[in-house]
Amino acid sequence: MAETDHIRKLEAEVERLTSEVQGLRARLAHEGPGGEEPVPLPQRPPRPWLNRLLLVLMTAGVGAATFTYLLNEGIAFSRFGDTANQLASIRLDYALLACACVAALAVLAYVSHRWLTFLSFAWLAVYMTYALHFAQKPGAIPGGPLTYFWMSAAFLTACYLLVASGCIRESRKRTRRGRTAAVLAWANSIAYFYYVGSGVRAHVPRYEPAFLLGFTCVLAAFAILAETSGPRRNYLFQAFVTKTIIVCTLALHAFIKGEWLWIAMAVECVVLAVAYQRSGVVVLKVLNLLLLLVTFVFCIQAVKVTDSVAIGPRQVPASWLFGTSVSGIFLFIAWFYERFTGRLGPADRRLSGHWFLADTPFDVPCATAAMIHAGAAVLILVTITIVNLGDQTALPYVLAAESVGLIVLGLLFRTPQIEVGAGLMLVAAHVCYYFFLGLDRPALDQRPYALSSAAVMAGVTYMAGFRWERCLRQIPTAGSSEHHAMAAVPCVLGSAMLATIIERGLEGAHVPVAQNVLGVVLIAAGCGLRYPPITVSGVAALAFAAGTFLTRLFSVEHPLMAQPHAVLWLALFLGGYIAAERALALAERRQGAPTPAGDATRTVIVLAAAVLGLLGLGEWAPSAQRTFCWLGLATIATIGGLLTGDGRYRWTAVLVLVVTATAAIRQDVSRLPAATLYQHLAVGAAVFVVLVSSWCYPFFRRRALRAAHADDGTGASHHE
């Protein structure tokens, strides 16, 4: 009870103190701190003098438009007596009336101290009046066109500076006015640049570079002022920075001509990348990528430049010098993005400007930005190399050598994007190699060490494939079938190159057998190293071997099965498929969990061996002995199923028997001699018995194993 009473006393005391505090607050709100005089009402801030000056210029512009209009209508202000009658008789100009209405709204906003609204209406009134009445020199204004241009340019420049300064002043307020001020600053700069820039180009074109440089400096000064006088990284600062970069690029285009412009724009990309890393403003990265695109287009369009640049006693093609320079700068930017930059997370965005364009499609990851720069550099190098060496058979090997240099560069600077670019260049080298093969250029084989050079290029392709797969591991889909398919692309290109080398270096039946051996070796290596891309390239080599076999099997000039020892070569060829299937089976057994893709691959390999065997024996054996040969193939498949316990071979044997029976029926068995018919029946019966045995053997074996396990369990229970 004592504690309850104490709590009630404390609550009553809190209520009393709360009422006293509220009374004191009410009294202070009505009286001054001393309690004698009331608090004075807050005074409105004084009107900024810059706004007053803008108001004067706006009024002068609208007034001048009205005066020139009246003069054009024939109003004689010298005779004041007739002025009223003349004004009553003129027609109404709705455009001028609209300008006057907008100016009146600006005056109303000025009186109401709505400064951002005043700036907007004043800017609109100025440029509406100029566009409708002063874009062309009115006849009532004395002087020449050049004098009129300098007068109008001075008037627009003054209005531009006043509006831009007013936008910066309004952006200091931490409200949503910053975005509106940024939009107004954009409109102000676009209108000023259009009217004054077009006037400079029309009247004094020799001063256009100076105008662009001066405007760039003004925009940069406003950007610094917006950054230092308002919130850091504010919207207006980003707007002025964007305009500065755009006008600076135009100034570079005006001052620098020829191929040096490529390097200047590439250096500008470096500046933007460094600025993004220092500030974290996403718009700088967006500008960097846009400028990269423009520079890339310029370089691709100018790769056919035939000029030369003297470097000491040598003359270097300008396209090589400037193209490689730009590519080197882009590779540097790719390294910089990969090693030193990163996107700011939501927890690290301490400034409001960091949120602009963040987490949007424009805010690409820094690794992606690095990949874009590396890809652009590689495409420039590939284009320049092809344009300058397109008629030489050394082109594929030059591209391969360049790719090796890029791989080494990527390894040294630990930039995987450069290594991926090297893979793209290797793809271009392979395309050029097969293009020359398609043209059947004899110079490709007449080059010294042609086959060994192609073999080296294949080895480089496998090395690039290894690095390519390492880069793909960083993607979240690593380990999936899509990952293995993408990772196997360079290795498949290497297998295709090796298969082409075998085809151009060997003759006759040696070619498909050697290609098959290549496939078996690659599959065994991939399974042993547990590296799926090599395994996929081995399967691709088996496919190349099958294509070569079929092409030469039905050749009219040099049929494959008409060569000496054709059956022996056919047996070796088919044995390669069986060895490849067994290597895949052993690898799946080691992994413990077969995959659907692995099972399908093994099935396709066994069926391909059966089909190729049927076709090869059908071309080799006479029509009377063809059935015997096919029955022998079925017997081999049946024995394979019996030895391995794999149902693929048994089903393949059934397929071969069906094909054999169909062929025998089509030959009209009744016309065969009795001895030949009995031989067919005897061999067919033997094959049938072996096939049934192979089907029954696994069943009885499994039942025996289950019985053995049951006996072991029983013995154990008795022992207990």
Side-chain angles (χ1 to χ4, degrees):
M1 292 295 293
E3 293 180 357
T4 304
D5 295 338
H6 183 64
I7 291 173
R8 289 176 179 175
K9 290 180 180 179
L10 290 177
E11 290 177 349
E13 186 69 18
V14 168
E15 290 179 358
R16 184 183 64 80
L17 292 175
T18 303
S19 61
E20 291 182 0
V21 168
Q22 291 177 352
L24 289 174
R25 286 178 178 175
R27 193 180 313 132
L28 288 175
H30 183 267
E31 300 177 357
E36 298 178 357
E37 298 180 358
V39 178
L41 296 175
Q43 300 293 327
R44 289 186 177 272
R47 297 179 177 87
W49 66 271
L50 293 177
N51 289 353
R52 296 178 183 177
L53 185 56
L54 180 60
L55 179 64
V56 171
L57 291 178
M58 178 197 69
T59 306
V62 176
T66 306
F67 181 75
T68 56
Y69 171 73
L70 294 177
L71 288 180
N72 291 332
E73 291 293 325
I75 302 298
F77 291 96
S78 59
R79 293 175 296 182
F80 296 100
D82 299 333
T83 302
N85 297 328
Q86 293 175 356
L87 290 175
S89 62
I90 65 172
R91 60 183 179 87
L92 184 62
D93 188 355
Y94 292 100
L96 183 59
L97 180 61
C99 296
C101 291
V102 174
L105 292 175
V107 173
L108 181 62
Y110 180 85
V111 174
S112 304
H113 299 88
R114 299 181 180 273
W115 303 125
L116 191 57
T117 306
F118 164 72
L119 290 173
S120 303
F121 281 118
W123 169 84
L124 185 59
V126 167
Y127 280 98
M128 279 182 61
T129 305
Y130 183 83
L132 296 175
H133 296 88
F134 296 113
Q136 301 294 330
K137 178 181 175 298
I141 297 181
L146 185 59
T147 305
Y148 175 75
F149 162 71
W150 287 117
M151 292 174 55
S152 60
F155 174 78
L156 292 179
T157 301
C159 293
Y160 173 79
L161 296 176
L162 292 173
V163 173
S165 302
C167 290
I168 293 177
R169 186 178 61 254
E170 290 300 316
S171 69
R172 297 173 185 173
K173 304 172 183 178
R174 297 179 179 272
T175 62
R176 292 185 178 271
R177 296 182 182 181
R179 299 182 182 181
T180 307
V183 174
L184 178 59
W186 265 107
N188 186 34
S189 299
I190 293 173
Y192 174 78
F193 183 77
Y194 174 76
Y195 286 110
V196 178
S198 59
V200 170
R201 192 177 299 109
H203 296 89
V204 283
R206 64 182 182 277
Y207 291 135
E208 184 178 5
F211 165 72
L212 293 173
L213 180 60
F215 194 35
T216 302
C217 296
V218 170
L219 291 172
F222 277 127
I224 296 173
L225 185 61
E227 173 70 7
T228 56
S229 62
R232 302 290 302 277
R233 312 293 190 269
N234 57 76
Y235 295 109
L236 196 60
F237 163 75
Q238 299 188 38
F240 277 115
V241 165
T242 304
K243 292 181 287 187
T244 303
I245 297 301
I246 295 174
V247 181
C248 179
T249 305
L250 297 176
L252 290 177
H253 192 273
F255 276 101
I256 304 176
K257 303 296 182 182
E259 294 76 20
W260 289 102
L261 179 61
W262 309 352
I263 299 179
M265 295 175 69
V267 172
E268 192 177 3
C269 289
V270 175
V271 174
L272 288 174
V274 175
Y276 168 71
Q277 189 268 339
R278 299 287 295 176
S279 64
V281 176
V282 180
V283 71
L284 294 174
K285 180 167 59 176
V286 176
L287 289 172
N288 180 16
L289 296 178
L290 291 176
L291 188 60
L292 163 71
L293 177 61
V294 174
T295 309
F296 174 77
V297 172
F298 268 107
C299 290
I300 295 299
Q301 289 180 350
V303 291
K304 294 184 179 181
V305 176
T306 58
D307 299 337
S308 298
V309 178
I311 300 180
R314 296 184 179 182
Q315 294 290 330
V316 180
S319 60
W320 275 105
L321 177 62
F322 295 105
T324 52
S325 300
V326 172
S327 298
I329 294 174
F330 283 168
L331 292 177
F332 170 79
I333 298 175
W335 167 76
F336 184 81
Y337 267 112
E338 173 64 21
R339 305 299 303 171
F340 297 101
T341 61
R343 286 199 300 183
L344 293 178
D348 299 326
R349 298 169 189 163
R350 301 181 179 89
L351 304 175
S352 61
H354 289 158
W355 290 92
F356 182 63
L357 296 181
D359 300 328
T360 63
F362 297 101
D363 187 15
V364 298
C366 292
T368 304
M371 186 67 250
I372 293 173
H373 283 83
V378 169
L379 289 177
I380 292 173
L381 287 177
V382 169
T383 305
I384 293 175
T385 306
I386 292 177
V387 168
N388 289 274
L389 303 177
D391 56 345
Q392 301 181 22
T393 55
L395 175 62
Y397 308 114
V398 173
L399 290 173
E402 291 177 352
S403 67
V404 172
L406 289 177
I407 291 174
V408 174
L409 195 65
L411 289 173
L412 290 177
F413 290 97
R414 293 185 295 175
T415 307
Q417 290 82 359
I418 300 179
E419 301 175 31
V420 174
L424 297 177
M425 184 169 286
L426 267 178
V427 172
H430 281 269
V431 171
C432 293
Y433 183 83
Y434 293 119
F435 178 75
F436 286 142
L437 284 182
L439 294 179
D440 196 16
R441 287 197 174 187
L444 190 64
D445 292 333
Q446 294 174 2
R447 290 182 54 82
Y449 309 106
L451 295 180
S452 59
S453 300
V456 171
M457 191 164 76
V460 171
T461 306
Y462 278 108
M463 181 178 65
F466 173 73
R467 299 303 305 173
W468 167 258
E469 196 271 339
R470 291 289 299 273
C471 295
L472 290 179
R473 289 183 185 177
Q474 301 178 6
I475 301 176
T477 58
S480 63
S481 57
E482 294 84 0
H483 168 81
H484 294 317
M486 290 294 297
V489 171
C491 296
V492 171
L493 290 176
S495 299
M497 179 65 70
L498 292 177
T500 304
I501 294 172
I502 292 172
E503 185 175 6
R504 302 183 73 82
L506 301 178
E507 296 180 354
H510 302 79
V511 177
V513 174
Q515 291 177 342
N516 228 355
V517 171
L518 171 65
V520 174
V521 171
L522 290 175
I523 289 176
C527 294
L529 298 174
R530 295 186 179 181
Y531 192 65
I534 297 293
T535 306
V536 175
S537 68
V539 175
L542 294 181
F544 297 144
T548 304
F549 178 83
L550 292 174
T551 302
R552 302 197 173 202
L553 180 65
F554 299 107
S555 175
V556 179
E557 299 178 357
H558 304 286
L560 185 65
M561 299 309 296
Q563 299 179 12
H565 312 291
V567 179
L568 177 61
W569 292 114
L570 179 62
L572 292 175
F573 178 74
L574 298 179
Y577 283 92
I578 305 306
E581 189 276 331
R582 287 292 87 199
L584 292 174
L586 181 61
E588 287 188 353
R589 194 175 299 116
R590 284 200 312 171
Q591 293 178 357
T595 60
D599 287 339
T601 303
R602 291 172 55 198
T603 303
V604 170
I605 289 175
V606 174
L607 290 177
V611 173
L612 295 175
L614 288 172
L615 295 175
L617 292 175
E619 290 292 324
W620 175 78
S623 59
Q625 300 178 2
R626 187 175 301 156
T627 308
F628 282 111
C629 296
W630 287 352
L631 288 174
L633 181 63
T635 304
I636 294 174
T638 304
I639 295 174
L642 186 62
L643 295 177
T644 61
D646 196 332
R648 294 178 180 83
Y649 293 92
R650 294 192 293 271
W651 283 108
T652 303
V654 172
L655 176 63
V656 174
L657 282 178
V658 171
V659 173
T660 304
T662 304
I665 292 173
R666 291 183 60 185
Q667 288 181 358
D668 195 357
V669 181
S670 61
R671 297 182 180 180
L672 295 176
T676 305
L677 179 60
Y678 291 145
Q679 291 174 0
H680 280 73
L681 292 176
V683 173
V687 172
F688 180 76
V689 170
V690 174
L691 181 61
V692 172
S693 301
S694 67
W695 278 95
C696 296
Y697 174 75
F699 171 73
F700 289 109
R701 178 178 174 80
R702 286 194 295 269
R703 192 171 69 174
L705 289 175
R706 284 198 297 268
H709 287 304
D711 291 340
D712 292 340
T714 305
S717 62
H718 284 298
H719 179 72
E720 291 175 359

CSV table of all heavy atoms in Angstrom, one decimal, residues 490-521:
chain,number,residue,atom,x,y,z
A,490,PRO,N,35.9,-21.1,-75.6
A,490,PRO,CA,37.3,-21.1,-76.0
A,490,PRO,C,37.9,-22.4,-76.2
A,490,PRO,O,38.6,-22.6,-77.2
A,490,PRO,CB,38.0,-20.3,-74.9
A,490,PRO,CG,36.9,-19.5,-74.2
A,490,PRO,CD,35.7,-20.4,-74.3
A,491,CYS,N,37.6,-23.4,-75.4
A,491,CYS,CA,38.1,-24.7,-75.5
A,491,CYS,C,37.6,-25.4,-76.8
A,491,CYS,O,38.3,-26.1,-77.5
A,491,CYS,CB,37.8,-25.6,-74.3
A,491,CYS,SG,38.6,-25.0,-72.8
A,492,VAL,N,36.3,-25.2,-77.1
A,492,VAL,CA,35.8,-25.7,-78.3
A,492,VAL,C,36.5,-25.1,-79.6
A,492,VAL,O,36.8,-25.8,-80.5
A,492,VAL,CB,34.3,-25.5,-78.4
A,492,VAL,CG1,33.7,-25.9,-79.7
A,492,VAL,CG2,33.6,-26.3,-77.3
A,493,LEU,N,36.8,-23.8,-79.5
A,493,LEU,CA,37.5,-23.2,-80.6
A,493,LEU,C,38.9,-23.8,-80.7
A,493,LEU,O,39.4,-24.0,-81.8
A,493,LEU,CB,37.6,-21.7,-80.3
A,493,LEU,CG,36.3,-20.9,-80.5
A,493,LEU,CD1,36.6,-19.4,-80.1
A,493,LEU,CD2,35.8,-21.0,-81.9
A,494,GLY,N,39.5,-24.1,-79.6
A,494,GLY,CA,40.8,-24.7,-79.7
A,494,GLY,C,40.8,-26.1,-80.3
A,494,GLY,O,41.6,-26.5,-81.1
A,495,SER,N,39.7,-26.9,-79.9
A,495,SER,CA,39.5,-28.2,-80.5
A,495,SER,C,39.3,-28.1,-82.0
A,495,SER,O,39.8,-28.9,-82.8
A,495,SER,CB,38.4,-28.9,-79.8
A,495,SER,OG,38.6,-29.1,-78.4
A,496,ALA,N,38.5,-27.1,-82.4
A,496,ALA,CA,38.3,-27.0,-83.8
A,496,ALA,C,39.5,-26.6,-84.6
A,496,ALA,O,39.8,-27.1,-85.7
A,496,ALA,CB,37.2,-25.8,-84.0
A,497,MET,N,40.4,-25.8,-83.9
A,497,MET,CA,41.7,-25.5,-84.6
A,497,MET,C,42.6,-26.7,-84.7
A,497,MET,O,43.2,-27.0,-85.8
A,497,MET,CB,42.4,-24.4,-83.8
A,497,MET,CG,43.7,-24.0,-84.3
A,497,MET,SD,43.6,-23.2,-85.9
A,497,MET,CE,42.8,-21.7,-85.5
A,498,LEU,N,42.6,-27.5,-83.6
A,498,LEU,CA,43.5,-28.7,-83.7
A,498,LEU,C,42.9,-29.7,-84.7
A,498,LEU,O,43.7,-30.4,-85.5
A,498,LEU,CB,43.5,-29.4,-82.3
A,498,LEU,CG,44.3,-28.6,-81.2
A,498,LEU,CD1,44.2,-29.3,-79.9
A,498,LEU,CD2,45.8,-28.4,-81.7
A,499,ALA,N,41.6,-29.9,-84.8
A,499,ALA,CA,41.0,-30.7,-85.8
A,499,ALA,C,41.3,-30.3,-87.2
A,499,ALA,O,41.5,-31.1,-88.1
A,499,ALA,CB,39.5,-30.8,-85.5
A,500,THR,N,41.3,-28.9,-87.4
A,500,THR,CA,41.6,-28.4,-88.7
A,500,THR,C,43.1,-28.7,-89.0
A,500,THR,O,43.4,-29.0,-90.2
A,500,THR,CB,41.3,-26.9,-88.7
A,500,THR,OG1,40.0,-26.7,-88.4
A,500,THR,CG2,41.6,-26.3,-90.1
A,501,ILE,N,44.0,-28.5,-88.1
A,501,ILE,CA,45.4,-28.8,-88.3
A,501,ILE,C,45.6,-30.3,-88.7
A,501,ILE,O,46.3,-30.6,-89.6
A,501,ILE,CB,46.2,-28.5,-87.0
A,501,ILE,CG1,46.2,-27.0,-86.8
A,501,ILE,CG2,47.6,-29.0,-87.2
A,501,ILE,CD1,46.8,-26.6,-85.5
A,502,ILE,N,44.9,-31.2,-88.0
A,502,ILE,CA,44.9,-32.6,-88.3
A,502,ILE,C,44.4,-32.9,-89.8
A,502,ILE,O,45.1,-33.6,-90.5
A,502,ILE,CB,44.1,-33.4,-87.3
A,502,ILE,CG1,44.8,-33.4,-86.0
A,502,ILE,CG2,44.0,-34.9,-87.8
A,502,ILE,CD1,44.0,-34.0,-84.8
A,503,GLU,N,43.4,-32.2,-90.1
A,503,GLU,CA,42.8,-32.4,-91.5
A,503,GLU,C,43.7,-31.9,-92.6
A,503,GLU,O,43.8,-32.5,-93.6
A,503,GLU,CB,41.5,-31.7,-91.6
A,503,GLU,CG,40.7,-32.0,-92.9
A,503,GLU,CD,39.4,-31.4,-92.9
A,503,GLU,OE1,39.0,-30.7,-92.0
A,503,GLU,OE2,38.6,-31.6,-93.9
A,504,ARG,N,44.5,-30.8,-92.3
A,504,ARG,CA,45.4,-30.3,-93.3
A,504,ARG,C,46.7,-30.9,-93.3
A,504,ARG,O,47.5,-30.7,-94.2
A,504,ARG,CB,45.5,-28.8,-93.1
A,504,ARG,CG,44.2,-28.0,-93.2
A,504,ARG,CD,44.3,-26.5,-93.0
A,504,ARG,NE,44.9,-26.0,-94.3
A,504,ARG,CZ,44.2,-25.6,-95.3
A,504,ARG,NH1,42.9,-25.9,-95.4
A,504,ARG,NH2,44.7,-25.1,-96.4
A,505,GLY,N,47.1,-31.6,-92.2
A,505,GLY,CA,48.4,-32.3,-92.1
A,505,GLY,C,48.4,-33.7,-92.4
A,505,GLY,O,49.5,-34.3,-92.8
A,506,LEU,N,47.3,-34.4,-92.4
A,506,LEU,CA,47.2,-35.9,-92.6
A,506,LEU,C,46.3,-36.1,-93.9
A,506,LEU,O,45.7,-35.2,-94.4
A,506,LEU,CB,46.7,-36.6,-91.4
A,506,LEU,CG,47.5,-36.5,-90.1
A,506,LEU,CD1,46.8,-37.2,-89.0
A,506,LEU,CD2,48.9,-36.9,-90.3
A,507,GLU,N,46.3,-37.4,-94.3
A,507,GLU,CA,45.6,-37.8,-95.5
A,507,GLU,C,44.8,-39.1,-95.2
A,507,GLU,O,45.2,-39.8,-94.3
A,507,GLU,CB,46.5,-37.9,-96.7
A,507,GLU,CG,47.1,-36.6,-97.1
A,507,GLU,CD,48.0,-36.9,-98.3
A,507,GLU,OE1,48.2,-38.0,-98.7
A,507,GLU,OE2,48.6,-35.9,-98.9
A,508,GLY,N,43.8,-39.3,-96.0
A,508,GLY,CA,43.1,-40.6,-96.0
A,508,GLY,C,42.4,-40.9,-94.7
A,508,GLY,O,41.8,-40.0,-94.0
A,509,ALA,N,42.4,-42.2,-94.3
A,509,ALA,CA,41.7,-42.6,-93.1
A,509,ALA,C,42.4,-42.2,-91.8
A,509,ALA,O,41.8,-42.3,-90.7
A,509,ALA,CB,41.6,-44.1,-93.1
A,510,HIS,N,43.6,-41.7,-91.9
A,510,HIS,CA,44.3,-41.2,-90.7
A,510,HIS,C,43.6,-40.0,-90.1
A,510,HIS,O,43.7,-39.8,-88.9
A,510,HIS,CB,45.8,-40.8,-91.0
A,510,HIS,CG,46.5,-42.0,-91.6
A,510,HIS,ND1,46.4,-42.3,-93.0
A,510,HIS,CD2,47.4,-42.8,-91.1
A,510,HIS,CE1,47.3,-43.3,-93.2
A,510,HIS,NE2,47.9,-43.7,-92.1
A,511,VAL,N,42.9,-39.2,-90.9
A,511,VAL,CA,42.4,-38.0,-90.4
A,511,VAL,C,41.3,-38.2,-89.4
A,511,VAL,O,41.4,-37.7,-88.3
A,511,VAL,CB,41.9,-37.1,-91.6
A,511,VAL,CG1,41.2,-35.8,-91.1
A,511,VAL,CG2,43.0,-36.8,-92.5
A,512,PRO,N,40.2,-38.9,-89.7
A,512,PRO,CA,39.1,-39.1,-88.7
A,512,PRO,C,39.6,-39.9,-87.5
A,512,PRO,O,39.2,-39.6,-86.3
A,512,PRO,CB,38.0,-39.9,-89.4
A,512,PRO,CG,38.7,-40.5,-90.6
A,512,PRO,CD,39.8,-39.6,-91.0
A,513,VAL,N,40.5,-40.8,-87.7
A,513,VAL,CA,41.1,-41.6,-86.5
A,513,VAL,C,41.9,-40.6,-85.6
A,513,VAL,O,41.7,-40.7,-84.4
A,513,VAL,CB,41.9,-42.8,-87.0
A,513,VAL,CG1,42.6,-43.5,-85.8
A,513,VAL,CG2,41.0,-43.7,-87.8
A,514,ALA,N,42.7,-39.8,-86.2
A,514,ALA,CA,43.5,-38.9,-85.4
A,514,ALA,C,42.6,-37.9,-84.7
A,514,ALA,O,42.8,-37.5,-83.5
A,514,ALA,CB,44.5,-38.1,-86.3
A,515,GLN,N,41.6,-37.4,-85.3
A,515,GLN,CA,40.6,-36.5,-84.7
A,515,GLN,C,39.9,-37.2,-83.5
A,515,GLN,O,39.6,-36.6,-82.5
A,515,GLN,CB,39.6,-35.9,-85.7
A,515,GLN,CG,40.3,-35.0,-86.7
A,515,GLN,CD,39.3,-34.5,-87.7
A,515,GLN,OE1,38.2,-35.1,-87.9
A,515,GLN,NE2,39.6,-33.4,-88.4
A,516,ASN,N,39.6,-38.4,-83.7
A,516,ASN,CA,38.9,-39.2,-82.7
A,516,ASN,C,39.8,-39.4,-81.5
A,516,ASN,O,39.4,-39.3,-80.3
A,516,ASN,CB,38.5,-40.6,-83.2
A,516,ASN,CG,37.0,-40.9,-82.9
A,516,ASN,OD1,36.4,-40.1,-82.1
A,516,ASN,ND2,36.5,-42.0,-83.4
A,517,VAL,N,41.1,-39.7,-81.8
A,517,VAL,CA,42.1,-39.8,-80.7
A,517,VAL,C,42.2,-38.5,-79.9
A,517,VAL,O,42.3,-38.5,-78.7
A,517,VAL,CB,43.4,-40.3,-81.3
A,517,VAL,CG1,44.5,-40.2,-80.2
A,517,VAL,CG2,43.3,-41.7,-81.8
A,518,LEU,N,42.2,-37.4,-80.7
A,518,LEU,CA,42.2,-36.1,-80.0
A,518,LEU,C,41.0,-35.9,-79.0
A,518,LEU,O,41.2,-35.5,-77.9
A,518,LEU,CB,42.2,-35.0,-81.0
A,518,LEU,CG,42.0,-33.5,-80.5
A,518,LEU,CD1,43.2,-33.1,-79.7
A,518,LEU,CD2,41.8,-32.6,-81.7
A,519,GLY,N,39.8,-36.3,-79.5
A,519,GLY,CA,38.7,-36.2,-78.7
A,519,GLY,C,38.8,-37.1,-77.4
A,519,GLY,O,38.4,-36.6,-76.3
A,520,VAL,N,39.3,-38.3,-77.6
A,520,VAL,CA,39.4,-39.2,-76.4
A,520,VAL,C,40.4,-38.6,-75.4
A,520,VAL,O,40.2,-38.7,-74.2
A,520,VAL,CB,39.8,-40.6,-76.9
A,520,VAL,CG1,40.1,-41.5,-75.7
A,520,VAL,CG2,38.7,-41.2,-77.7
A,521,VAL,N,41.5,-38.1,-75.9
A,521,VAL,CA,42.5,-37.6,-75.0
A,521,VAL,C,42.0,-36.4,-74.3
A,521,VAL,O,42.2,-36.2,-73.0
A,521,VAL,CB,43.8,-37.2,-75.8
A,521,VAL,CG1,44.8,-36.4,-75.0
A,521,VAL,CG2,44.5,-38.4,-76.4
